Amino acid sequence: MLNMANTKAVNFAEIKANEGAPYAKPVQILDENGNVVNKDLMANFSDDLLVDLMKKMVWERALHEQTMSFSKQGRLGFYAPTWGEEASEMGTAAAFKKQDFLFPAYRDLPQLIQHGATVAQMYLWSKGHIKGNLFDARALRPQIIIGAQMVEMAGGALGIKKNGEEDTVAYAYTGEGGSSQGDTYEGMNFAGAFQAPAVFIIQNNGWAISFPRKLQTEAQTIAQKGVAAGIPGVQVDGMDVLACYEVAKEAREFAAAGNGPVLIETLTYRFGAHSSAGDDPSRYRTDEETKPWFDKDPLIRLRKYLTKNGLWSEEEEQKYTDECKQSFKEAMKEADSVEPEKVSDMLKRTFEVPTPDIKEQIKKYEEKESK
């Protein structure tokens, strides 16, 4: 399959000119059975790209499984699972370039690793170690405050514009719960006002911990929330990695060309708990709700298509999964080998010039640590 058609999935200029319309149907290329539903868009994908996107999703699924195992062993701090969101995250992340600036949230460690951080560094970040922040990637450290990365990203995008950087955008992720935060709208409004090269990605996974999307907003889509900020928005099937990739690639091209920001809503689902801290999804979600989403598993649909076309096999997938998990175990060994931080070291970094109170605390802990 040659990448020659170059058919577009979204006309962002038209959506912008029409103040947000249309929102008729989420962009989709593969349905849940692995059938092609848009042949024109499918023609944009080479066999190599299809296999690469599959490997990226397998990698993220393996990362989730192995990292959850480490978390249950008590070897990590906070960890936010990504099970079920592989297409939304890997599909969009693959569309950006190394010169782009990523503003991740705490659930975006897989995207940050794809952008240049190492797995060991992300494990150190989860442990709360300063060396988890010293990665070689054009990105900020994962944001814990819900939606705050959207304000940071808008400022970063304006900086890119003011610096005259070409073919460069800023991009950030949040969940549909994050779209209810004022910070998200403020970031969109700022980026829209200054026509900054920003791509806002909202992963609509149905639940903000135990709070359902239907109680967060009466808007039919989250994509249309860009209208008030003058930003074109689009919904995409977040369980279809090909659609996520294509829409994100086009959004990036649109923003990088000086047309202002874009909003992408991916319709995905968080299969498991909100975090490793221990919330129980069975207390607020029913089997009747979750089963249809499991049937839409992003790995299953692309696996079906690739297998049917002789591009993938169960043996290849198992071999690659095992290789990934082994590499994650090595990454954990590397993270575990780093000398733990001292409280006094943390206090010394709190202020450029320590206050009298901090100086007293530094002295107190240095005395304890020397024993």
Side-chain angles (χ1 to χ4, degrees):
M1 193 182 305
L2 298 177
N3 186 5
M4 297 176 62
N6 200 30
T7 301
K8 294 292 185 181
V10 187
N11 188 333
F12 288 109
E14 181 181 13
I15 294 175
K16 187 174 181 178
N18 292 336
E19 295 186 340
Y23 297 107
K25 189 178 180 181
V27 177
Q28 186 183 65
I29 298 175
L30 282 182
D31 67 15
E32 61 191 71
N33 295 312
N35 298 317
V36 177
V37 295
N38 192 317
K39 293 181 179 179
D40 290 338
L41 292 178
M42 191 66 186
N44 292 339
F45 292 83
S46 67
D47 290 347
D48 287 345
L49 179 54
L50 291 171
V51 172
D52 182 60
L53 289 171
M54 183 67 195
K55 292 182 77 171
K56 280 181 167 60
M57 289 199 295
V58 171
W59 171 87
E60 182 173 356
R61 180 68 59 88
L63 178 67
H64 161 79
E65 292 174 352
Q66 189 61 56
T67 304
M68 278 300 291
S69 177
F70 290 145
S71 181
K72 290 175 181 178
Q73 294 168 14
R75 300 171 71 181
L76 290 173
F78 179 83
Y79 169 66
T82 61
W83 182 27
E85 299 182 351
E86 294 88 358
S88 175
E89 295 175 355
M90 291 298 97
T92 53
F96 293 92
K97 300 181 179 181
K98 292 300 181 184
Q99 67 264 30
D100 296 330
F101 213 119
L102 170 62
F103 291 79
Y106 56 79
R107 200 179 300 276
D108 304 326
L109 303 191
Q111 299 97 298
L112 185 50
I113 294 168
Q114 290 291 325
H115 202 54
T118 69
V119 177
Q121 287 168 331
M122 292 300 91
Y123 285 160
L124 284 168
W125 178 85
S126 177
K127 289 170 177 279
H129 201 291
I130 186 63
K131 289 189 175 180
N133 294 319
L134 305 180
F135 45 77
D136 185 18
R138 205 169 194 210
L140 252 61
R141 284 65 191 157
Q143 176 60 261
I144 295 295
I145 302 171
I146 307 297
Q149 69 275 18
M150 295 304 195
V151 176
E152 296 171 337
M153 190 264 286
L158 181 59
I160 289 170
K161 181 176 181 178
K162 283 187 166 293
N163 289 336
E165 295 188 52
E166 297 182 356
D167 190 29
T168 305
V169 303
Y171 64 112
Y173 297 80
T174 192
E176 85 294 334
S179 72
S180 298
Q181 292 289 109
D183 282 356
T184 298
Y185 175 73
E186 289 164 14
M188 290 194 296
N189 190 60
F190 184 92
F194 289 96
Q195 290 294 280
V199 179
F200 296 83
I201 302 170
I202 296 178
Q203 299 191 95
N204 181 355
N205 63 24
W207 294 87
I209 309 183
S210 60
F211 201 75
R213 183 262 191 231
K214 64 184 178 182
L215 295 180
Q216 293 181 44
T217 178
E218 188 63 20
Q220 291 186 344
T221 71
I222 293 174
Q224 70 195 72
K225 293 197 170 200
V227 174
I231 297 176
V234 61
Q235 270 192 334
V236 59
D237 181 349
M239 308 301 265
D240 178 1
V241 69
L242 307 187
C244 289
Y245 173 81
E246 183 64 29
V247 168
K249 180 171 70 70
E250 292 179 21
R252 186 200 176 279
E253 291 171 354
F254 182 85
N259 297 305
V262 174
L263 169 62
I264 299 172
E265 176 190 359
T266 66
L267 299 173
T268 184
Y269 198 76
R270 166 171 57 81
F271 287 158
H274 171 76
S275 77
S276 59
D279 67 290
D280 180 5
S282 68
R283 297 185 65 182
Y284 53 85
R285 298 193 310 211
T286 65
D287 291 341
E288 289 74 22
E289 176 199 334
T290 57
K291 186 182 183 306
W293 283 103
F294 277 106
D295 293 339
K296 297 176 182 180
D297 187 312
L299 273 69
I300 291 176
R301 71 173 68 184
L302 186 55
R303 182 189 299 132
K304 286 181 176 179
Y305 176 85
L306 294 180
T307 302
K308 184 169 55 179
N309 288 275
L311 298 172
W312 193 250
S313 69
E314 184 179 338
E315 293 74 23
E316 286 178 271
E317 184 167 333
Q318 188 58 57
K319 181 175 182 293
Y320 187 60
T321 298
D322 292 342
E323 291 173 354
C324 289
K325 288 188 176 181
Q326 182 58 40
S327 72
F328 303 149
K329 291 175 183 177
E330 294 299 321
M332 180 54 82
K333 287 181 182 178
E334 180 182 341
D336 285 342
S337 69
V338 175
E339 183 179 355
E341 285 201 274
K342 298 176 181 177
V343 175
S344 60
D345 290 335
M346 180 272 290
L347 291 169
K348 289 174 184 176
R349 293 194 302 269
T350 303
F351 294 99
E352 183 177 4
V353 178
T355 63
D357 286 348
I358 293 293
K359 285 181 179 179
E360 287 183 15
Q361 291 181 49
I362 291 173
K363 181 179 179 182
K364 172 185 173 182
Y365 280 100
E366 282 183 333
E367 290 175 352
K368 285 185 177 182
E369 293 159 355
S370 66
K371 294 179 181 178

